[in-house]
């Protein structure tokens, strides 16, 4: 007998996006349950460090900022890959969303009037904040932005916002069922009815039936070997959505590499370091970024900085180490006090994991997988394509605010803005939604999962789940990384198809009883490989370079042929995704043009080629 | 010289009728910059895939991986093996329900704690979406953040003698949370409101002042200061309650006095 739980809204994920939407529905009087792989406050939102973009324009270096400027930065940052209608909605609502978190208790850093020093590209400068701005939410500099716009709480911004959000969720009675993983979406015709889930405390299956279901499960960075992502970011909810056969994943080839992952642990070192004046140095301790990007230097967009760093390492200017070549991040000049107040997480990470004091020592860094711009494709209301009653928000979604490159600080902002807006839409949807549940259909979905588990636990599979996973991660790392080309991508597709077959031939070496971690991964792995194939096939098909998708054999951004979004569907029993395309934006407020950094060629969409 | 580490790990799977609580020995060659995150994952992948433990961010930020490491509650992810002797004993965090091996149910415990102390801003005000944010001095924001850095890892509970003796003790994590709200001008609770939550033996008066909580806190939160502050504040309030005529629910909060 499988336990069945009924709710109005079911959130898959209890990080910032999921909880923000959950709060909206709970406050409107609906029952909300959030499923989470970990206790809500351990969600990966907590690892966001540097800041959240909202055009408040309070601090002196943010003076003149407004949603229009934020909009332009976001569209340029996306390399004209985003949906401009969504970007417009986002920038207009970000100030309200951030002020609401302040009202709920987030201790945002505030403007302090008077003169103070700051660093820009290693140079000491002075600014003066006026008395009239005293106590308003302040901001720091981030990459790819015209103004200082990243609001922050030291460098524990995600943590502080998540704790406040979960406080609010507890207050309004959002139930969190932690250590529960959604295995598949129950759907009939065009309706999503809920999920079959596995309780990871005891291994038991459970059914959740819901009027509306929201995917807010974060990114899938762990399909790569080296990722800043938490170990839970394996994309199981996206894979389950893909497995419905009717819900497409958008722009899966758009994968962000963060310039400053720590070597060797791949832990994130916030962009706030460079925003606050940190510089990148090579083996000769030469500051090389201005050589490539005279205008923006270290503060070009992440895709550009990550590419320039890789280029520089390839020229032989990397620092050799037993973990491969890396570069240096230098924040020594910011001074001990700044590091211990505004960058204290970074300070602690360096001390704890490297035994290095960033006030005296250089920090070893290199570009590391960081963010998934792609995800469950939704319309501008957050409603998933293909199934009524299924929504998505945050990193798990392709809403599509970020296009082919997300700006630093826009993801944390997206979680609360999309959580709020999609939450409002879900409330409207729930008010009208009446649905009946066919128990026969539900039982079929449960039976399918039960049989999968039985096959893995007592079938005749021989493959080692960790070995197969590691091979998948290596293929992506080695062939679907920062720079891509046809030869490597074709080989990667071939290898991943083989790995996909093997991922379904896993045999356990443990009993699989209770909360078996080996069984959990075995259940997840085939879906992870399917995500990997969506990334790789999308990258192979896209014969241009746009944002984070850089093809060595097609170096130009091709606005003539590729102002489109990839939609990846998985046919039942298929070996690779079916790719379709749609225009990337219905509204063009800012026509494609020069980003102002990156120096890439552009094949114009205009017929005369101008 | 590569060291051979000997990890003695507590094993018990309550869901497996054949499983009995025991210690199991694993041997592992040490590698450069090895942490217990790396060591435990290698043991699971190479030696025993049934081994249960919890990691999430593996960067000392999320609080998932607290366990008792050679007798001391600590985050496993940022514990470097190079700082440890060859013999490493790992036990699950006491004070929390065991899920299996090194994994404990901290989610349930902390949700209960957050509900008990009503860990949210209490206010009669309504959010005005069209208004600018309320101003706050930066130093106040930083003081709140200092206490808000708690990652609910549970080390302070595991190290607390009172918590070991009485299950219903709130512990340093909850008392620190209350201190965080007392200094937050947005929270409109009165001293009496706070007293009702923590002015008991389950709260601040249960604390014996041994301060292991501060010793083991991986985020170096100044717990001693918070416990001392709350004890004085709640003690004074208790006295005022006893003297007729001075008890008042409308007594001003410290932040308004200041």
């Amino acid at each position: 007998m499988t336990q069945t739980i009924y709710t109005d809204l079911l959130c898959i994920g209890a990080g910032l996006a999921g909880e923000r939407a959950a709060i909206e529905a709970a406050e409107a009087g609906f029952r909300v349950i959030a499923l989470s792989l970990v206790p809500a406050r351990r969600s990966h939102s907590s690892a966001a460090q540097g800041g959240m973009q909202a055009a408040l324009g309070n601090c002196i270096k943010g003076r003149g900022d407004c949603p229009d400027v934020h909009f332009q930065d976001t569209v340029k940052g996306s390399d004209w890959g985003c949906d401009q209608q969504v970007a417009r909605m986002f920038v207009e609502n970000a100030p309200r969303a951030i002020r609401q978190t302040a009202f709920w208790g987030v201790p945002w850093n505030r403007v302090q009037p008077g003169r103070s020093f700051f660093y820009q590209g290693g140079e000491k400068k002075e600014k003066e904040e006026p008395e009239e701005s005293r106590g308003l939410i302040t901001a720091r500099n981030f990459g790819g932005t015209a103004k200082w716009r990243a609001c922050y709480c030291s460098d524990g911004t995600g943590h502080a916002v998540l704790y406040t959000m979960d406080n609010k969720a507890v207050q309004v009675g959002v139930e969190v069922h932690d250590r529960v993983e959604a295995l598949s979406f129950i759907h009939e015709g065009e309706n999503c009815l809920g999920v079959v889930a596995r309780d990871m405390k005891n291994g038991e299956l459970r059914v959740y039936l819901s009027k509306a279901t929201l995917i807010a499960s974060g990114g899938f960075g762990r399909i790569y070997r080296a990722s800043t992502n938490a170990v839970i970011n394996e994309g199981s909810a996206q894979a389950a959505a893909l497995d419905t056969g009717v819900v497409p994943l958008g722009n899966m080839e758009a994968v962000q590499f963060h310039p400053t992952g720590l070597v060797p642990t791949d832990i994130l070192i916030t962009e706030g370091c460079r925003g606050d004046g940190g510089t990148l140095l090579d083996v000769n301790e030469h500051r090389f970024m201005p050589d490539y990007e005279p205008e923006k230097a270290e503060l070009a967009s992440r895709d550009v900085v990550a590419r320039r760093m890789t280029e520089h390492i390839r020229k032989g200017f990397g620092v050799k180490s037993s973990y491969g070549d890396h570069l240096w991040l230098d924040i020594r000049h910011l001074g001990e006090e700044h590091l211990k107040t505004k960058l204290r997480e970074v300070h602690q990470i360096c001390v704890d994991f490297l035994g290095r004091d960033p006030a005296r020592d250089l920090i070893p860094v290199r570009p590391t997988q960081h963010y998934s711009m792609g995800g469950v494709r939704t319309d501008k209301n957050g409603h998933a394509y293909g199934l009524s009653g299924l929504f998505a928000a945050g990193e798990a979604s392709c809403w599509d605010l970020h296009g082919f490159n997300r700006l630093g600080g826009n993801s944390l902002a997206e979680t609360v803005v999309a959580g709020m807006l999609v939450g409002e839409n879900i409330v409207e949807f729930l008010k009208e939604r009446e649905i009946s549940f066919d128990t026969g259909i539900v039982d079929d979905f449960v039976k399918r999962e039960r049989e999968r588990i039985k096959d893995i636990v007592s079938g005749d599979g021989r493959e080692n789940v960790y070995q197969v996973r590691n091979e998948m991660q290596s293929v992506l790392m080695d062939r679907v990384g920062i720079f891509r080309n046809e030869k490597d991508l074709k080989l990667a597709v071939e290898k991943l198809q083989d790995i996909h077959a093997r991922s379904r031939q896993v045999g356990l070496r443990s009993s699989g009883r209770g909360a078996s971690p080996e069984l959990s991964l075995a259940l997840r792995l085939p879906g992870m490989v399917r995500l990997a194939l969506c990334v790789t096939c999308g990258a192979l098909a896209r014969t241009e370079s746009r944002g984070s998708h850089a093809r060595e054999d097609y170096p130009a951004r091709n606005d003539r042929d590729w102002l489109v979004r990839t939609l990846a569907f998985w046919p039942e029993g298929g070996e690779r995704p079916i790719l379709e395309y749609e225009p990337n934006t219905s509204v063009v407020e800012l026509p494609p043009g020069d980003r102002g950094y990156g120096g890439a060629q552009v094949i114009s969409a205009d017929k005369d080629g101008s | 010289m590569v060291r051979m580490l000997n990890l003695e790990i507590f094993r018990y799977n309550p869901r497996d009728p054949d499983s009995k609580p025991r210690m199991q020995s694993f041997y592992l060659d040490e590698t450069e910059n090895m942490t217990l995150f790396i060591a435990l994952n290698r043991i699971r992948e190479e030696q025993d895939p049934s081994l249960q433990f919890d990691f999430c961010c593996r960067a000392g930020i999320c609080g998932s991986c607290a366990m008792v490491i050679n007798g001391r509650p600590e985050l496993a992810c940022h514990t470097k093996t190079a700082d440890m002797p060859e013999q490493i004993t790992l036990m699950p965090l006491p004070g929390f329900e065991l899920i299996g091996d090194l994994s404990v149910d901290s989610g349930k415990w902390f949700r209960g704690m957050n509900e008990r102390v009503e860990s949210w801003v209490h206010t009669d005000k309504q959010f005005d979406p069209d208004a600018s944010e309320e101003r706050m001095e930066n130093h106040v924001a930083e003081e709140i953040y200092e206490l808000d850095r708690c990652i609910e890892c549970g080390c302070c509970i595991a190290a607390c003698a009172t918590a070991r003796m009485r299950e219903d003790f709130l512990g340093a994590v909850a008392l620190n949370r209350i201190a965080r709200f007392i200094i937050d001008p947005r929270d409109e609770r009165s001293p009496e409101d706070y007293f009702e939550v923590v002015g008991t033996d389950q709260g601040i008066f249960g604390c014996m002042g041994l301060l292991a909580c501060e010793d083991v806190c991986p985020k170096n939160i100044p717990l001693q200061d918070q416990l001392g502050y709350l004890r004085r504040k709640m003690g004074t309030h208790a006295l005022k309650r006893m003297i007729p005529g001075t008890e008042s629910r409308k007594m001003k909060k410290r932040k308004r006095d200041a």
Side-chain angles (χ1 to χ4, degrees):
Chain A
M1 188 57 207
T2 313
Q3 188 189 8
T4 302
I5 295 172
Y6 172 81
T7 184
D8 294 317
L9 171 61
L10 181 70
C11 295
I12 315 296
L16 279 173
E19 285 210 323
R20 180 61 192 84
I23 290 165
E24 200 68 28
E27 286 197 311
F30 293 104
R31 183 180 182 196
V32 187
I33 297 174
L35 309 184
S36 178
L37 299 176
V38 291
R41 293 175 191 224
R42 315 216 188 285
S43 302
H44 192 50
S45 305
S46 69
Q49 297 173 351
M52 178 184 283
Q53 300 254 6
L56 300 178
N58 289 331
C59 66
I60 192 76
K61 303 293 282 182
R63 201 41 72 96
D65 199 10
C66 61
D68 287 337
V69 183
H70 190 186
F71 174 80
Q72 288 182 16
D73 287 345
T74 300
V75 176
K76 286 178 190 170
S78 80
D79 218 355
W80 278 270
C82 72
D83 183 319
Q84 296 196 16
Q85 211 180 350
V86 167
R88 174 52 73 180
M89 252 178 354
F90 163 74
V91 298
E92 295 290 344
N93 282 286
R96 166 165 74 111
I98 203 167
R99 285 179 176 133
Q100 188 176 46
T101 66
F103 182 77
W104 286 345
V106 175
W108 295 107
N109 275 94
R110 304 291 177 137
V111 177
Q112 285 174 285
R115 286 173 183 280
S116 61
F117 293 108
F118 69 99
Y119 283 87
Q120 201 161 10
E123 234 177 278
K124 195 170 186 175
K125 296 185 174 179
E126 199 180 7
K127 65 180 173 69
E128 184 172 4
E129 300 285 355
E131 184 59 35
E132 74 212 34
S133 305
R134 175 190 284 271
L136 296 173
I137 296 172
T138 192
R140 62 164 35 126
N141 201 5
F142 252 47
T145 63
K147 302 282 179 188
W148 289 24
R149 189 188 299 125
C151 307
Y152 62 94
C153 304
S154 181
D155 60 349
T157 313
H159 165 89
V161 180
L162 182 63
Y163 268 54
T164 292
M165 197 65 79
D166 193 53
N167 283 343
K168 188 73 190 169
V170 172
Q171 184 193 357
V172 300
V174 172
E175 292 173 57
V176 178
H177 294 190
D178 67 46
R179 294 175 188 262
V180 175
E181 178 167 18
L183 298 181
S184 58
F185 290 97
I186 304 168
H187 58 104
E188 181 192 12
E190 59 186 24
N191 287 313
C192 177
L193 308 177
V195 303
V196 180
R198 179 166 169 268
D199 186 331
M200 294 161 78
K201 288 178 194 169
N202 54 30
E204 283 163 18
L205 292 185
R206 200 182 292 154
V207 168
Y208 289 88
L209 297 177
S210 53
K211 284 185 172 180
T213 305
L214 171 73
I215 300 173
S217 53
F220 53 86
R222 284 278 161 177
I223 64 172
Y224 281 82
R225 188 179 61 229
S227 170
T228 63
N229 284 193
V231 299
I232 55 170
N233 296 126
E234 298 186 308
S236 54
Q238 289 95 324
L242 185 68
D243 284 347
T244 62
V246 292
V247 177
L249 304 181
N251 278 350
M252 290 293 280
E253 64 269 34
V255 176
Q256 178 168 85
F257 286 74
H258 195 289
T260 56
L262 196 66
V263 179
T265 52
D266 309 316
I267 293 171
L268 170 70
I269 299 295
T270 176
E271 184 162 316
C273 290
R274 284 170 289 133
D276 289 2
T279 55
L280 292 167
L281 309 180
D282 64 15
V283 66
N284 302 317
E285 299 195 12
H286 164 66
R287 183 177 170 225
F288 60 92
M289 275 307 294
D291 304 343
Y292 295 97
E293 297 290 331
E295 184 80 15
K296 283 273 184 188
E298 284 89 353
L299 289 176
S301 61
R302 287 178 180 172
D303 59 323
V304 170
V305 178
R307 266 197 300 280
R308 298 304 198 188
M309 290 169 75
T310 309
E311 235 180 297
H312 204 61
I313 290 174
R314 284 180 175 183
K315 285 180 190 165
F317 292 109
V319 183
K320 305 269 177 242
S321 85
S322 47
Y323 297 94
D325 291 1
H326 63 77
L327 294 159
W328 298 116
L329 173 66
D330 185 6
I331 54 173
R332 295 173 299 186
H333 51 282
L334 304 187
E336 189 131 3
E337 198 205 322
H338 187 92
L339 299 186
K340 286 190 171 166
T341 54
K342 299 289 194 290
L343 294 169
R344 58 191 299 170
E345 284 299 329
V346 168
H347 187 271
Q348 193 173 14
I349 285 167
C350 289
V351 171
D352 287 354
F353 291 89
L354 293 175
R356 281 168 175 264
D357 177 359
R360 278 187 289 277
D361 305 316
L362 296 171
I363 308 171
V365 293
R366 72 173 157 225
T368 306
Q369 193 288 340
H370 181 60
Y371 190 82
S372 323
M373 273 77 75
V376 177
R377 177 65 185 137
T378 72
D379 63 18
K380 65 180 197 300
N381 299 318
H383 217 141
Y385 281 21
L387 281 179
S388 178
L390 183 64
F391 296 79
E395 189 176 353
S397 73
C398 179
W399 187 26
D400 170 9
L401 166 64
H402 309 299
F404 275 77
N405 174 68
R406 168 176 76 72
L407 290 185
N410 260 0
S411 62
L412 207 46
E414 182 191 19
T415 61
V416 296
V417 176
M420 176 175 79
L421 297 177
V422 175
E424 289 166 2
N425 294 330
I426 289 173
V427 167
E428 291 311 307
F429 178 84
L430 283 173
K431 284 179 185 165
E432 304 293 323
R433 178 77 157 176
E434 288 305 336
I435 193 165
S436 51
F437 301 99
D438 182 330
T439 55
I441 300 268
V442 174
D443 287 347
D444 284 348
F445 276 91
V446 176
K447 207 172 133 203
R448 209 176 296 174
E449 293 307 325
R450 220 175 270 298
E451 275 167 13
R452 272 184 71 205
I453 290 172
K454 203 174 128 221
D455 278 355
I456 295 169
V457 173
S458 47
D460 52 7
R462 285 273 175 273
E463 295 287 348
N464 176 322
V465 69
Y466 297 107
Q467 203 178 328
V468 178
R469 181 202 60 190
N470 294 348
E471 285 181 37
M472 169 196 69
Q473 290 177 330
S474 293
V475 169
L476 286 171
M477 210 65 206
D478 299 342
R479 305 189 188 278
V480 200
I482 294 176
F483 286 104
R484 302 162 175 186
N485 62 66
E486 184 178 298
K487 184 167 154 269
D488 281 330
L489 290 169
K490 276 190 167 162
L491 197 61
V493 171
E494 232 171 81
K495 282 174 180 281
L496 287 170
Q497 283 185 320
D498 175 53
I499 288 169
H500 186 225
R502 289 168 56 205
S503 73
R504 289 171 294 176
Q505 293 299 319
V506 162
L508 298 189
R509 288 170 297 150
S510 63
S511 72
R513 279 182 190 154
S516 164
E518 192 186 21
L519 176 60
S520 300
L521 183 59
L523 283 167
R524 222 174 276 145
L525 186 60
M528 291 172 74
V529 186
R530 287 195 276 278
L531 298 183
L533 273 161
C534 289
V535 172
T536 310
C537 291
L540 175 62
R542 185 173 284 272
T543 48
E544 66 153 356
S545 292
R546 183 179 299 275
S548 64
H549 172 68
R551 284 284 298 258
E552 290 162 316
D553 41 357
Y554 297 93
R557 188 182 88 204
N558 184 343
D559 293 338
R560 189 188 59 209
D561 305 318
W562 285 102
L563 272 176
V564 291
R565 179 177 303 106
T566 310
L567 298 177
F569 291 86
W570 200 277
E572 202 180 332
E575 296 303 315
R576 56 191 290 177
I578 292 169
L579 303 182
E580 292 179 9
Y581 295 92
E582 64 175 7
N584 65 352
T585 186
S586 48
V587 175
V588 181
E589 223 184 294
L590 187 68
D594 180 20
R595 297 171 96 185
Y597 45 79
Q601 319 154 36
V602 175
I603 297 169
S604 171
D606 298 338
K607 294 218 165 48
D608 59 6
S610 60
Chain B
M1 220 347 233
V2 175
R3 290 201 304 173
M4 186 57 75
L5 303 175
N6 174 17
L7 290 100
E8 290 283 329
I9 300 178
F10 174 82
R11 300 302 308 272
Y12 178 48
N13 181 354
R15 304 282 156 178
D16 185 343
D18 303 333
S19 173
K20 297 272 176 293
R22 68 190 196 284
M23 296 301 290
Q24 188 177 353
S25 224
F26 295 96
Y27 291 89
L28 202 63
D29 55 302
E30 190 174 32
T31 53
E32 201 186 336
N33 285 317
M34 187 184 242
T35 61
L36 286 182
F37 168 71
I38 296 168
L40 284 168
N41 274 291
R42 269 191 58 197
I43 290 174
R44 183 192 274 173
E45 293 184 19
E46 297 166 13
Q47 301 184 35
D48 190 336
S50 70
L51 183 63
Q52 294 181 53
F53 49 76
D54 295 318
F55 287 101
C56 184
C57 76
R58 58 79 175 92
I61 289 168
C62 78
S64 293
C65 63
M67 56 183 72
V68 180
I69 303 165
N70 282 355
R72 190 184 168 88
E74 187 43 293
L75 297 182
C77 73
H78 74 192
T79 300
K80 296 189 284 289
T81 55
D83 298 338
M84 310 286 294
E86 281 162 35
Q87 182 85 25
I88 301 172
T89 304
L90 303 179
M91 301 287 285
L93 215 54
F96 300 88
E97 198 178 312
L98 183 74
I99 290 174
D101 302 338
L102 300 172
S103 173
V104 297
D105 194 347
S106 59
K108 192 162 89 183
W109 197 97
F110 281 107
R111 173 75 184 218
M113 182 280 283
N114 281 309
E115 286 172 358
R116 272 174 83 188
V117 303
E118 301 188 4
S119 171
W120 57 82
V121 166
H122 291 54
T123 179
D124 293 331
K125 290 184 192 139
Q126 291 292 317
F127 173 64
D128 178 356
D130 301 319
S132 176
E133 65 274 20
E134 262 190 46
R135 290 171 197 255
M136 179 186 277
E137 284 299 311
N138 191 57
H139 74 87
V140 176
E142 286 184 343
E143 283 159 22
I144 297 168
Y145 177 74
E146 175 70 12
L147 307 188
D148 223 12
R149 290 186 306 114
C150 167
I151 55 172
E152 296 190 357
C153 62
C155 285
C156 62
I157 300 301
C160 174
T162 308
R164 299 295 288 275
M165 290 188 296
R166 53 184 312 160
E167 258 184 29
D168 58 358
F169 183 54
L170 280 166
V173 56
L175 297 169
N176 173 67
R177 184 64 49 79
I178 285 295
R180 174 244 180 270
F181 281 105
I182 289 178
I183 61 171
D184 191 331
R186 293 166 291 201
D187 192 51
E188 292 170 353
R189 275 180 278 185
S190 68
E192 177 64 19
D193 293 334
Y194 293 127
F195 188 85
E196 278 172 15
V197 178
V198 296
T200 61
D201 284 352
Q202 291 85 44
I204 188 65
F205 301 124
C207 170
M208 299 188 289
L210 300 176
L211 298 173
C213 51
E214 169 138 341
D215 291 345
V216 299
C217 177
K219 304 309 276 186
N220 302 314
I221 294 172
L223 295 171
Q224 177 179 353
D225 295 349
Q226 307 321 310
L227 294 171
Y229 163 67
L230 270 185
R231 181 180 284 275
R232 285 194 302 279
K233 173 128 184 123
M234 293 297 125
T236 315
H237 187 75
L239 280 175
K240 285 183 184 162
R241 286 175 125 212
M242 283 186 270
I243 305 166
T246 55
E247 186 219 336
S248 166
R249 280 179 165 270
K250 296 187 183 78
M251 230 171 9
K252 281 182 181 164
K253 298 173 69 172
R254 178 183 71 150
K255 60 203 168 201
R256 288 183 202 146
D257 302 339

